[in-house]
């Protein structure tokens, strides 16, 4: 896993720098392209899912695990729609969430900023 995840994490870290300065329109466009790419790659995704489910059956995985592996047209479309919903949401970056004035007159603002890259590995 270390050898397969490291290049992905490093690429994500490099991309995070560009995304940190991207406009809201650019981020929405990138998400829309991701949804379109998901739809365009649907047949390859479904083929890979069938192979994973077959390997899971051979390994005698539980029905719940096999269900997690199994993708169908409806699930892929649901993923694409979820990405589009995120693209349509207001961009929180730059939003001022709180302001206050210090006794010395200094104005303080709490502003939302990109946090960078978060890598999460899910193992069931």
């Amino acid at each position: 896993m270390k050898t397969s995840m490291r290049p992905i994490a490093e690429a994500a870290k490099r991309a995070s720098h560009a995304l940190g300065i991207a406009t809201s329109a650019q981020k929405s466009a990138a998400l829309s392209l991701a949804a379109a790419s998901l739809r365009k790659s649907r047949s390859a995704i479904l083929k890979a899912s069938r192979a994973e489910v077959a390997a899971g059956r051979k390994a005698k995985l539980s029905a719940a695990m096999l269900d997690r592996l199994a993708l169908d047209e409806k699930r892929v479309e649901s993923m694409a729609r979820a990405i589009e919903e995120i693209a349509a949401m207001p961009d929180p970056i730059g939003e001022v969430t709180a302001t206050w004035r210090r006794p010395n007159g200094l104005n303080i603002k709490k502003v939302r900023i990109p946090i960078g890259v978060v890598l999460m590995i899910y193992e069931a």
Side-chain angles (χ1 to χ4, degrees), residues 82-97:
I83 293 170
E84 290 169 336
E85 288 173 15
I86 293 168
M89 295 172 91
D91 187 356
I93 302 303
E95 178 185 341
V96 177
T97 60

Side-chain angles (χ1 to χ4, degrees), residues 26-119:
Q26 289 169 324
K27 289 183 262 187
S28 290
L31 287 167
S32 295
L33 284 172
S37 179
L38 193 59
R39 288 184 178 109
K40 184 178 178 183
S41 302
R42 181 179 315 202
S43 62
I45 292 168
L46 295 176
K47 181 179 178 181
S49 176
R50 286 189 297 272
E52 288 179 349
V53 170
R57 282 195 181 104
K58 267 188 173 177
K60 299 191 187 303
L61 294 181
S62 70
M65 287 295 294
L66 291 172
D67 182 61
R68 288 184 190 138
L69 286 174
L71 292 176
D72 57 20
E73 295 274 342
K74 185 177 176 183
R75 284 183 174 178
V76 173
E77 181 58 28
S78 177
M79 289 187 281
R81 271 193 250 116
I83 293 170
E84 290 169 336
E85 288 173 15
I86 293 168
M89 295 172 91
D91 187 356
I93 302 303
E95 178 185 341
V96 177
T97 60
T99 60
W100 63 93
R101 182 182 295 267
R102 301 280 303 155
N104 65 358
L106 182 66
N107 289 320
I108 307 290
K109 292 182 181 179
K110 188 175 179 182
V111 181
R112 292 184 179 199
I113 62 168
I115 62 168
V117 176
V118 176
L119 175 65

